[in-house]
Amino acid sequence: MASKSRGKQRGEDIQQEDVFQAVVIADSFNVRFAPITNEKPKSLLPLANIPILDYTLEFLVTAGVQEIFVFCCHLADQIRTHIRQSKWSECSSCTITPVLSESCMSMGDALREIHDKSVIRSDFVLVFGDTVANLRLQDVLQEHKKRLQDKTNPQNKNSVMTMIFQKVPPGHRSRNKEDDIFLAVDQTSNRVLHYQRVREQSKLQIPVDVLADNLDVQLRYDLLDSQISVCSPEVLALFKDNFDYLNRDHFVKGLLDNEDIMEKTIHMCVLNDGYTGRVSNLQMYDTVSRDVICRWSYPLVPDTQTDNQGQIISHNRHNIYTSKDVMLAKGCVLEQNVLVGRGTRIGSNTRITDSVIGKDCKIGSDVVIENAYIWDGVTIEDQCCVDTAVICDNVVVYACTSVGPGCVLSYNVKVGPSVKIEARSRLQAAKDMDDDFGDELTEADQDAVSMINYGSKSQAFLHQPPEDSDDEDNDLVQDMFGLGIQSESSTEASSLSERSSDDEAMLDDEELFYSELLDTFVKAKEDNYNTENLILEINSLKHTYNIAIRDLYGMVMKGLIEIPLRDSQDLEPGAQLANVKKNFVRYKPLILNYIKSEESQLDCLHALEDFALSNKTVSTLLVKLLHILYDADILSEVVLIKWHNMEKEEEYKAIAKQVAPLIKWLEEAEEETSDEELGSD
Amino acid sequence: MEFQPIIMAAGPGSRLAELTSKCPKAALLIGNRPMVWYPINMLEKAGFEEAIIIVDMDGQAEIQRVLTESCSVKLHLEYVTVSNTDDGTADVLREIKSKIKTDLLIIPCDLITDISLHNIANLHRTHDASLTMLLSSLPSQFYESVAPGARSKKPLEKDFFGFDEKRERILFTQSEADVAENISVKKSIFKKHPYMCVKSGLTDCHLYLMKKWVVDYLVENESLAYIRTELVPHLVRKQFSKTKVKDRLPQTNQSVISENQKMDILKFSTEDEYAADIRDLSSWNDHHGDMADCYHGDKIRCYGYIQEGGLCLRTNTVSSYSEANRQIQKIFTHTGIETPHLHPSVVLQKKSQVGADCVVAEGTEIGEKVSIKRSVIGRNCKIGDHVQIVNSTLLDNVIVEDGCDIKGSIISRKSVIHQKCEITNCLVGPGQQLNTMGKYKDEMIVYTVDI
């Protein structure tokens, strides 16, 4: 020690005095948990019978954070009271300070508020108050600090944020569909080059510059964004300077887009061990709860944590957790992954699996509970059935009621007896306040309706999600809860990319052209193009892909049939046909622009023929389609007859047979008209 | 024989046009050995006994002459001439289809590398690949050096290669020139390969290992003319194409519109039945993270072998050609060729110096007080007194008169540099006469110069 210079020693001393700080945003600024969150802030909702915020705080304290600022906004008082009464209030290693502000509308506002308070002095951790994690934050913090001291590389030195990710391949249960992110990262430095949220698009766009400027780029679609980040204090200043940053996405995007101006960089790290999950929506509530029950989040598991009343929970085989004073009647079965809280009684022959049951609940006999989250003081009478639902405090489910998948019963709701609650309903005990006018039903009517839907003893009203929600990503995956994993593959099947790859035999240009053409039609429909613009678009596409004009006729026709068919896949053939017809009427000017001459009509017929061979629906509808086209004066009878009389290859014979009646009818009609003409002579 | 080597030596060498006007590209000398000798040497070392060499009708005689003149070739070479000079590389394969019996190893004539072919072959075998290609990270001097005769260096066009997590399988290729702002990649590919590495500093060495069915497919699909620019991207894209609906639903066959050109690549890409069975039964899988079958059931698989370190360069541009000559001693050591840097027959007058990094071929006479550094001097050259040659390449039969100063240039055959010329960074075409006391800088001296 003596040999070291004094200056260096002083530097070390200063470093050691750094306090490890964390900012917890205990609000998600959205209404995904409505109506539950109307009465209780989201971070205080029980997850495996313990408020979510406690998981976050426990995680931070265990990770060595010494000072935590909990930013509360919605129902802030409840959070403050909770923190005051919790074990953290007398925790010596860590001070927890609630920061209250009812006026904040976004995470950006919250960070600006914290900046104004100037309490953050060094690098800090930014987390949401709904995070369950057991990561080793110290390592990440060290990595971040090391980067800042790297004098050789300005990109390292200018780093302001290290985002933490976990490797979760697509299709994994704990992959949050709202946080479906795609990331380009520099291989050597872990610098984030591109960050985007993946929506429904079938292709991902990667800016060329990102790839050209860096020799080795990782494109990652297998990461779960933990939304935990280690930040330099500058982050707060940057939020302050750019008041249009509402959330971290805006911040990241703004920094990456203006990297040359701001000269700030963002890095990332992937943690391979440890667990992280964010309860950002109901689907994630389900996933994270199950992970906690299955002990992935160890040591944050039910049996290691005690609430303020000293609840002690024992862990048994098959992940069955029970309190000592739980009363289980004869013949009741707790299958697996079940947590039952203190003071709960469960009747005989009841079967419970993959569920959490809170304190002081009364569950009757012959009840089946699967994959449900039942909070405190709930009564479920005999012969009920609850599947994949969230049931809040003091709810009563009267006898013989079945609660369908994806239901949410908010506080004090009463349903039943002997009804079936429709899947995915969100019920609350009181009517929506602001719903009074505009709704044509009188109060008595409403009551009557709810009696019919939710049973004679019910006290339940359907929660209407606010319609003017300006949160753009709200509508995307609102209600994934209760749908299960299959939803992903089903959306996949209808996505454009899969569809275009069905026709692989087309040469690539044509294939690409066709998929672009379909996109153009979809876009045209959304943006309401007029015909001229649409024709212009199609013509320019034609030039780009070097498509012969004859092929174009066929593809335009095929596209106009395929799009409405795709939209109405599950409908009756009659309805499908109506859709196609509507589309034809709408785009008639477009069709007439391309399909004028006899030859083009023939080309179009050949294309339809091929399409019918490759697509079953079309082949069943073919005759009707031709009829529609004939009625719309797009195809003339002369051409139709000529086409029918042409030499056919073997596989087309069936089609020829199929359309024979139509042709016969046409021929007769023609004869009639010619007869008439003769007669008039 | 597992692989049938094919040396592509019919290229016109359009990027070396100034040098190839009177000499086929494959016969251009690098370190006084014809360019095509380097791939031949590599094949010999890998144990091949015969190879097909594709040559131009006009160039065959010259290539044969140069090969026998400058080095001994043990490999049995079967010369095949292409009928049409405009043919692309894929067209050539189509033409010689009858000669192709097994899987192919395609080597360009301008590849100089010390890589062991076994490494690439092993990658190819491990994954039973349809196509395996050699990629190399270019040493920076090759694209940073200015080409003789050019004033400014051309911006290098980058190719992007997307690899899987293990950096073996090629998931997409894209040339920087072909895209405007964004590269779009199908999400379904990311679903299969959520971790992709994109490398931009790699050069395709045009060395391919290829399944025989690819040639059968080429015969059917006549629209593909070039291997590098058309066939490879096509195969890479087709990796993720699915079996068509018609295979699943019999009767309703035929796709739309393309009725003339419909041919399903998947019909060609037949795998060895036993190999497929073995893979099904084995617990080995190429990926983890999902429960899908090995390779996700993809029948077409393209792999890339990335060479790190070692020596690998393509002498297809003037700058890389001159750079290869400058580094000739390095090339010789890497490829294990033992050549004295001065041929015993070289006549060297007193007070002349020839650096150890040079190669001087037989029959050359060097005058007094000459200094030669980092240069290659061809056969039967005459170099006068007080000449300085640095960083340059002199091909055969060049006469350099007294007092000349040549820096960073290429002097083609039978040129005469008269007294006291100063040539810096120039390319002098064959048979040129350069004036006494002339000063040339950054020039392309190709056509007849008035004397």
Side-chain angles (χ1 to χ4, degrees):
Chain A
M1 278 307 265
S3 65
K4 281 184 184 172
S5 75
R6 189 170 286 179
K8 199 171 175 185
Q9 268 183 10
R10 197 180 295 154
E12 278 176 357
D13 289 345
I14 289 169
Q15 272 191 359
Q16 279 167 2
E17 279 171 18
D18 270 359
V19 179
F20 191 2
Q21 293 176 309
V23 172
V24 178
I25 308 287
D27 204 314
S28 51
F29 305 106
N30 61 39
V31 289
R32 250 150 262 195
F33 278 84
I36 308 175
T37 43
N38 292 348
E39 288 167 48
K40 211 173 196 185
K42 191 177 96 180
S43 43
L44 293 186
L45 303 183
L47 181 106
N49 292 345
I50 294 162
I52 302 173
L53 185 63
D54 285 3
Y55 287 93
T56 313
L57 295 178
E58 178 86 51
F59 153 59
L60 291 173
V61 172
T62 317
V65 178
Q66 292 152 299
E67 197 171 2
I68 301 175
F69 297 95
V70 181
F71 192 92
C72 344
C73 180
H74 178 60
L75 302 173
D77 274 343
Q78 288 189 33
I79 301 179
R80 186 170 57 184
T81 324
H82 174 81
I83 292 174
R84 216 174 264 159
Q85 289 169 356
S86 71
K87 62 176 175 181
W88 312 113
S89 55
E90 58 236 35
C91 175
S92 59
S93 66
C94 180
T95 54
I96 298 176
T97 320
V99 180
L100 274 61
S101 166
E102 299 265 353
S103 64
C104 282
M105 298 298 289
S106 68
M107 174 186 164
D109 289 343
L111 291 180
R112 282 183 273 276
E113 190 100 352
I114 288 176
H115 179 257
D116 290 344
K117 291 201 172 9
S118 53
V119 287
I120 298 296
R121 299 183 298 276
S122 67
D123 300 329
F124 66 98
V125 180
L126 179 64
V127 291
F128 276 97
D130 52 9
T131 308
V132 178
N134 58 3
L135 307 172
R136 292 170 56 88
L137 283 179
Q138 282 290 1
D139 301 351
V140 186
L141 185 76
Q142 291 312 324
E143 202 181 303
H144 183 74
K145 287 195 164 155
K146 215 169 106 193
R147 209 172 273 140
L148 296 180
Q149 282 156 7
D150 183 0
K151 297 261 176 359
T152 53
N153 188 346
Q155 283 172 342
N156 278 349
K157 212 178 131 232
N158 289 333
S159 179
V160 291
M161 187 185 264
T162 302
M163 312 208 284
I164 300 178
F165 292 91
Q166 279 230 303
K167 191 167 173 173
V168 177
H172 193 279
R173 177 166 60 102
S174 62
R175 207 175 155 95
N176 184 351
K177 295 204 174 51
E178 282 178 294
D179 281 336
D180 208 11
I181 51 150
F182 171 64
L183 202 65
V185 184
D186 185 61
Q187 171 80 31
T188 42
S189 67
N190 274 343
R191 187 161 67 91
V192 177
L193 306 169
H194 178 70
Y195 178 93
Q196 104 184 47
R197 233 157 243 277
V198 178
R199 302 246 178 267
E200 295 287 286
Q201 68 261 53
S202 62
K203 283 180 177 171
L204 298 176
Q205 307 285 336
I206 309 142
V208 173
D209 305 346
V210 163
L211 301 183
D213 298 347
N214 303 281
L215 281 182
D216 227 336
V217 180
Q218 297 174 7
L219 304 180
R220 309 287 302 252
Y221 185 56
D222 60 343
L223 296 180
L224 176 79
D225 192 348
S226 68
Q227 302 272 6
I228 305 172
S229 31
V230 176
C231 307
S232 303
E234 283 158 286
V235 169
L236 297 177
L238 285 166
F239 263 101
K240 183 76 186 170
D241 293 345
N242 300 279
F243 48 84
D244 52 333
Y245 292 170
L246 296 183
N247 52 36
R248 207 184 67 165
D249 279 6
H250 294 166
F251 173 80
V252 172
K253 194 172 179 307
L255 245 58
L256 292 179
D257 286 353
N258 305 315
E259 203 168 286
D260 359 340
I261 309 167
M262 292 198 188
E263 293 186 326
K264 299 288 175 215
T265 55
I266 297 174
H267 288 75
M268 57 88 86
C269 78
V270 179
L271 293 182
N272 288 322
D273 44 357
Y275 175 84
T276 169
R278 254 199 79 202
V279 186
S280 49
N281 53 26
L282 279 171
Q283 182 222 343
M284 288 308 287
Y285 178 81
D286 180 28
T287 308
V288 175
S289 300
R290 202 176 298 180
D291 288 341
V292 169
I293 299 283
C294 296
R295 309 180 79 78
W296 290 106
S297 58
Y298 190 84
L300 304 177
V301 288
D303 51 320
T304 59
Q305 287 178 305
T306 51
D307 67 0
N308 38 17
Q309 282 144 16
Q311 176 188 19
I312 296 164
I313 288 177
S314 62
H315 173 224
N316 303 315
R317 253 164 45 148
H318 306 302
N319 291 330
I320 310 284
Y321 303 84
T322 45
S323 279
K324 266 187 188 161
D325 48 359
V326 166
M327 305 209 355
L328 300 174
K330 191 179 171 192
C332 105
V333 186
L334 305 183
E335 282 185 0
Q336 57 169 3
N337 303 332
V338 179
L339 166 62
V340 184
R342 180 167 43 81
T344 291
R345 303 148 163 261
I346 298 175
S348 59
N349 295 327
T350 287
R351 194 170 65 82
I352 302 176
T353 179
D354 297 308
S355 299
V356 175
I357 294 168
K359 295 186 273 276
D360 302 316
C361 294
K362 290 190 192 69
I363 313 259
S365 18
D366 300 314
V367 175
V368 179
I369 297 175
E370 280 177 1
N371 198 21
Y373 301 93
I374 295 169
W375 296 359
D376 300 344
V378 173
T379 307
I380 296 179
E381 293 191 347
D382 297 353
Q383 289 169 3
C384 282
C385 174
V386 181
D387 179 16
T388 318
V390 175
I391 295 180
C392 300
D393 292 351
N394 305 323
V395 167
V396 181
V397 180
Y398 291 109
C400 304
T401 302
S402 116
V403 180
C407 281
V408 175
L409 307 187
S410 188
Y411 304 97
N412 305 320
V413 163
K414 295 186 173 70
V415 290
S418 306
V419 286
K420 191 171 184 311
I421 310 287
E422 207 179 314
R424 294 151 66 70
S425 355
R426 292 188 174 196
L427 303 183
Q428 55 191 4
K431 273 171 275 219
D432 279 333
M433 286 312 188
D434 44 328
D435 239 28
D436 287 35
F437 52 94
D439 213 295
E440 278 141 45
L441 297 174
T442 61
E443 258 180 52
D445 281 347
Q446 274 192 45
D447 287 346
V449 167
S450 71
M451 288 293 177
I452 294 165
N453 285 340
Y454 309 124
S456 50
K457 288 200 257 176
S458 77
Q459 186 192 350
F461 300 94
L462 195 63
H463 169 70
Q464 306 283 352
E467 278 167 17
D468 55 335
S469 100
D470 47 310
D471 193 353
E472 74 247 12
D473 37 46
N474 223 355
D475 41 7
L476 177 64
V477 255
Q478 258 285 17
D479 285 344
M480 294 306 291
F481 180 53
L483 278 184
I485 301 281
Q486 293 85 359
S487 56
E488 182 159 17
S489 51
S490 66
T491 53
E492 179 81 351
S494 63
S495 84
L496 200 60
S497 70
E498 299 305 310
R499 200 149 275 273
S500 61
S501 65
D502 281 353
D503 302 325
E504 276 302 334
M506 271 200 246
L507 280 190
D508 289 335
D509 266 354
E510 293 184 0
E511 186 183 314
L512 283 173
F513 172 77
Y514 186 62
S515 82
E516 289 273 347
L517 183 73
L518 290 186
D519 283 344
T520 312
F521 280 138
V522 172
K523 211 164 69 195
K525 199 174 167 194
E526 279 169 8
D527 300 355
N528 247 333
Y529 283 10
N530 60 19
T531 314
E532 284 98 76
N533 285 350
L534 188 57
I535 291 173
L536 271 182
E537 285 259 332
I538 293 174
N539 284 348
S540 71
L541 271 183
K542 167 183 164 269
H543 290 299
T544 326
Y545 290 99
N546 204 7
I547 296 294
I549 186 80
R550 300 186 59 173
D551 291 341
L552 180 75
Y553 300 146
M555 289 203 239
V556 167
M557 187 50 77
K558 191 182 158 207
L560 285 178
I561 296 174
E562 181 160 358
I563 290 208
L565 281 186
R566 206 168 67 199
D567 294 343
S568 54
Q569 237 167 12
D570 319 319
L571 298 182
E572 291 289 296
Q576 284 181 335
L577 201 66
N579 256 338
V580 177
K581 191 168 175 181
K582 226 159 63 191
N583 213 38
F584 276 147
V585 173
R586 184 192 167 100
Y587 289 112
K588 195 175 166 192
L590 176 84
I591 302 174
L592 287 180
N593 178 63
Y594 287 112
I595 295 161
K596 285 181 251 181
S597 65
E598 204 167 290
E599 256 172 46
S600 57
Q601 292 185 24
L602 270 179
D603 285 334
C604 155
L605 278 170
H606 288 307
L608 282 179
E609 207 167 51
D610 287 333
F611 193 23
L613 283 177
S614 63
N615 187 320
K616 261 194 170 161
T617 339
V618 176
S619 92
T620 51
L621 294 176
L622 184 69
V623 180
K624 300 243 169 68
L625 285 173
L626 291 180
H627 200 154
I628 294 172
L629 287 169
Y630 170 73
D631 280 346
D633 289 329
I634 293 166
L635 298 177
S636 74
E637 63 224 40
V638 185
V639 177
L640 277 169
I641 293 167
K642 190 171 163 192
W643 164 70
H644 188 245
N645 293 339
M646 276 160 80
E647 279 290 302
K648 302 272 173 169
E649 285 169 45
E650 199 51 50
E651 58 257 39
Y652 296 106
K653 289 254 168 76
I655 292 185
K657 216 170 172 184
Q658 201 186 344
V659 298
L662 177 73
I663 300 295
K664 203 175 158 202
W665 176 77
L666 282 173
E667 277 170 344
E668 277 167 8
E670 200 177 21
E671 274 164 25
E672 262 171 43
T673 49
S674 49
D675 279 352
E676 275 168 28
E677 275 162 30
L678 280 177
S680 65
D681 279 348
Chain B
M1 192 166 54
E2 189 186 1
F3 297 107
Q4 205 173 356
I6 297 178
I7 301 172
M8 294 285 184
S14 48
R15 277 173 289 187
L16 284 163
E18 295 80 10
L19 294 166
T20 53
S21 54
K22 290 188 179 140
C23 167
K25 174 184 170 187
L28 274 181
L29 298 180
I30 295 170
N32 298 319
R33 286 164 191 267
M35 197 185 274
V36 71
W37 179 81
Y38 292 93
I40 291 176
N41 177 47
M42 176 170 68
L43 288 176
E44 278 178 0
K45 282 206 288 186
F48 285 99
E49 283 169 356
E50 53 185 41
I52 295 173
I53 178 164
I54 313 283
V55 289
D56 199 343
M57 195 83 85
D58 311 327
Q60 183 178 359
E62 175 71 10
I63 292 171
Q64 272 173 316
R65 186 188 67 78
V66 182
L67 267 179
T68 44
E69 191 178 85
S70 54
C71 30
S72 60
V73 175
K74 290 183 213 90
L75 198 69
H76 177 261
L77 290 174
E78 183 184 348
Y79 286 87
V80 178
T81 53
V82 288
S83 47
N84 186 353
T85 45
D86 293 337
D87 274 359
T89 40
D91 293 324
V92 169
L93 289 186
R94 207 170 287 141
E95 240 173 79
I96 61 162
K97 185 192 180 248
S98 58
K99 295 186 191 299
I100 296 171
K101 306 280 184 285
T102 63
D103 295 352
L104 303 180
L105 164 63
I106 298 169
I107 305 181
C109 66
D110 55 10
L111 178 69
I112 303 177
T113 176
D114 63 341
I115 186 197
S116 162
L117 283 173
H118 300 286
N119 293 340
I120 314 176
N122 282 344
L123 179 69
H124 187 79
R125 291 170 188 141
T126 310
H127 298 288
D128 196 17
S130 315
L131 176 89
T132 306
M133 59 208 275
L134 172 64
L135 299 165
S136 156
S137 40
L138 261 190
S140 58
Q141 68 256 34
F142 282 93
Y143 50 93
E144 280 168 4
S145 68
V146 180
R151 263 159 250 258
S152 59
K153 51 183 175 180
K154 287 181 193 159
L156 188 84
E157 293 253 307
K158 285 180 177 168
D159 283 325
F160 303 124
F161 291 94
F163 289 93
D164 70 348
E165 195 169 350
K166 293 181 188 131
R167 276 142 235 250
E168 287 177 344
R169 186 159 173 197
I170 298 177
L171 305 173
F172 76 85
T173 67
Q174 188 94 52
S175 155
E176 192 182 4
D178 294 347
V179 282
E181 274 179 24
N182 288 321
I183 293 179
S184 63
V185 179
K186 276 185 189 172
K187 196 157 105 185
S188 51
I189 300 182
F190 276 107
K191 291 238 169 90
K192 288 179 185 172
H193 302 276
Y195 184 148
M196 209 186 272
C197 306
V198 182
K199 287 176 178 268
S200 54
L202 296 177
T203 343
D204 184 349
C205 296
H206 292 221
L207 184 147
Y208 306 105
L209 289 170
M210 202 182 269
K211 279 263 154 60
K212 183 174 178 292
W213 66 258
V214 178
V215 181
D216 298 336
Y217 176 68
L218 275 178
V219 171
E220 284 293 312
N221 191 341
E222 301 216 334
S223 62
L224 300 170
Y226 293 92
I227 296 179
R228 168 68 192 104
T229 50
E230 291 171 9
L231 175 66
V232 171
H234 184 78
L235 285 178
V236 168
R237 261 203 310 274
K238 290 287 179 192
Q239 290 184 95
F240 304 102
S241 70
K242 285 199 191 133
T243 325
K244 266 199 303 169
V245 192
K246 71 175 179 192
D247 296 339
R248 280 177 258 145
L249 307 166
Q251 302 288 309
T252 61
N253 54 350
Q254 288 254 333
S255 135
V256 203
I257 294 135
S258 57
E259 48 186 319
N260 307 322
Q261 309 105 324
K262 55 188 171 301
M263 60 225 128
D264 198 347
I265 190 166
L266 293 170
K267 285 227 176 94
F268 290 91
S269 60
T270 44
E271 286 191 299
D272 183 31
E273 243 179 73
Y274 292 112
D277 280 352
I278 288 169
R279 204 172 46 234
D280 278 352
L281 294 173
S282 113
S283 61
W284 182 81
N285 204 328
D286 73 314
H287 65 277
H288 50 84
D290 60 24
M291 305 297 284
D293 288 348
C294 192
Y295 305 118
H296 296 90
D298 297 338
K299 277 185 171 175
I300 305 172
R301 297 182 290 274
C302 300
Y303 285 83
Y305 181 85
I306 305 172
Q307 192 188 13
E308 308 276 3
L311 174 89
C312 185
L313 55 106
R314 290 194 67 214
T315 52
N316 56 346
T317 62
V318 176
S319 63
S320 61
Y321 175 73
S322 74
E323 189 62 35
N325 274 306
R326 278 172 210 160
Q327 303 208 10
I328 191 64
Q329 285 297 351
K330 189 181 164 199
I331 292 174
F332 282 169
T333 32
H334 272 282
T335 46
I337 302 163
E338 304 220 343
T339 315
H341 79 285
L342 281 181
H343 195 271
S345 66
V346 170
V347 182
L348 190 65
Q349 301 295 338
K350 57 183 175 180
K351 290 190 177 171
S352 283
Q353 290 183 321
V354 178
D357 44 6
C358 298
V359 175
V360 183
E362 68 255 37
T364 290
E365 295 171 17
I366 299 174
E368 281 183 23
K369 293 190 178 171
V370 172
S371 152
I372 302 175
K373 287 174 195 157
R374 292 188 79 204
S375 298
V376 176
I377 315 286
R379 290 177 193 81
N380 304 322
C381 292
K382 289 198 170 57
I383 294 168
D385 300 340
H386 301 281
V387 174
Q388 288 214 336
I389 300 174
V390 183
N391 275 340
S392 299
T393 307
L394 274 65
L395 299 177
D396 294 354
N397 301 320
V398 173
I399 300 173
V400 181
E401 294 187 351
D402 297 353
C404 286
D405 188 357
I406 301 172
K407 283 189 188 123
S409 302
I410 301 175
I411 318 280
S412 306
R413 281 185 298 170
K414 294 178 183 163
S415 292
V416 180
I417 315 292
H418 290 288
Q419 286 180 9
K420 294 189 176 169
C421 270
E422 283 181 28
I423 304 173
T424 312
N425 199 32
C426 288
L427 192 153
V428 181
Q432 299 293 321
Q433 303 268 335
L434 294 197
N435 289 352
T436 310
M437 303 285 282
K439 284 190 181 171
Y440 303 90
K441 193 163 190 278
D442 301 335
E443 274 183 73
M444 202 72 100
I445 308 159
V446 180
Y447 301 104
T448 325
V449 181
D450 296 327
I451 298 172

